[in-house]
Amino acid sequence: MQIEMKKRIANLTSNILNPFLVGFIIILLLSFQSTSSTLDALRWSLIVTAVSILPIFLIILYLVRKEKLDGVFTSLRKQRTKVYWLAGLCVSVGFVILRFWGAPPMLVAVFVAGLSAVVTFMCINLLWKISLHTALIAAAVTVLVILYGWIAAVTVLLIPLMSWSRIELKQHSLAQVAAGTFLAALIVVVVFYLFGLV
């Protein structure tokens, strides 16, 4: 019974703190942080979501329905290559659109960090599977700490929680969640530093 409860909590953690929802929340927070009005923040949130999260999610759902992927968060390393190419394409197009429309630097920085992470993780994926769930949580926590300082430090607790859930569900090893965490946080810090946001 205890094992079943642990699995249920791990599943709930992975599903609630999934990369799509975490990405959307970060987009909202960055939009409100980097604009002067609620209307502007909502506008940029919609634009950024429409050129990044939404197309990736919809195409992945389509591929799952056509049985080209084994799930929305595929656990098969070879199937993840499709997801990385798709994410790279969407983030690249989104970056061009945001630059063309004069998006706030913070939102552009997130796209640069996202593209850097996609390229890095896609290369790693050729030989080894890395945890995207923990990577997204680590990136989100890093962004929150950069934006809000020590008041956001409590969110660091989400990293070991997500790491535990991915290991408990036998989706990743300790090394895979640690690598995802470290690389994602490092990429965010480096990109934000280069944009003068740190």
Side-chain angles (χ1 to χ4, degrees):
M1 188 61 117
Q2 189 179 6
I3 293 170
E4 191 63 36
M5 180 60 80
K6 282 169 73 176
K7 289 266 191 245
R8 199 171 295 152
I9 293 168
N11 253 321
L12 198 60
T13 301
S14 285
N15 289 333
I16 290 173
L17 298 175
N18 72 74
F20 295 110
L21 181 59
V22 170
F24 178 68
I25 290 168
I26 290 301
I27 285 168
L28 274 176
L29 290 172
L30 287 172
S31 296
F32 277 93
Q33 184 73 21
S34 59
T35 56
S36 56
S37 73
T38 302
L39 193 60
D40 266 354
L42 292 173
R43 182 171 62 93
W44 282 115
S45 295
L46 288 173
I47 291 169
V48 172
T49 302
V51 298
S52 59
I53 294 173
L54 193 59
I56 295 170
F57 182 69
L58 291 176
I59 294 170
I60 286 175
L61 278 183
Y62 172 79
L63 292 173
V64 170
R65 286 181 65 109
K66 291 293 182 181
E67 298 181 355
K68 305 285 186 186
L69 294 176
D70 72 332
V72 174
F73 304 110
T74 180
S75 60
L76 302 174
R77 184 173 57 82
K78 289 188 176 179
Q79 287 188 0
R80 287 177 161 221
T81 303
K82 295 173 188 169
V83 176
Y84 284 120
W85 278 110
L86 171 63
L89 177 65
C90 288
V91 173
S92 299
V93 169
F95 170 77
V96 171
I97 289 169
L98 292 189
R99 290 288 290 179
F100 181 75
W101 283 348
M106 205 175 286
L107 292 175
V108 176
V110 165
F111 270 73
V112 171
L115 187 56
S116 302
V118 167
V119 171
T120 302
F121 289 5
M122 185 163 56
C123 291
I124 291 169
N125 190 67
L126 295 173
L127 302 170
W128 194 53
K129 190 169 79 165
I130 199 163
S131 175
L132 293 177
H133 277 75
T134 53
L136 259 292
I137 285 292
V141 165
T142 306
V143 167
L144 290 174
V145 170
I146 288 170
L147 288 181
Y148 303 109
W150 290 109
I151 198 165
V154 69
T155 61
V156 170
L157 296 174
L158 294 174
I159 296 172
L161 177 63
M162 180 58 80
S163 299
W164 166 80
S165 78
R166 302 311 287 164
I167 294 167
E168 179 67 27
L169 295 171
K170 296 184 173 35
Q171 294 296 318
H172 293 285
S173 66
L174 178 59
Q176 289 168 341
V177 298
T181 298
F182 173 75
L183 286 173
L186 179 65
I187 288 167
V188 169
V189 169
V190 168
V191 171
F192 274 53
Y193 175 79
L194 293 174
F195 272 75
L197 299 169
V198 177

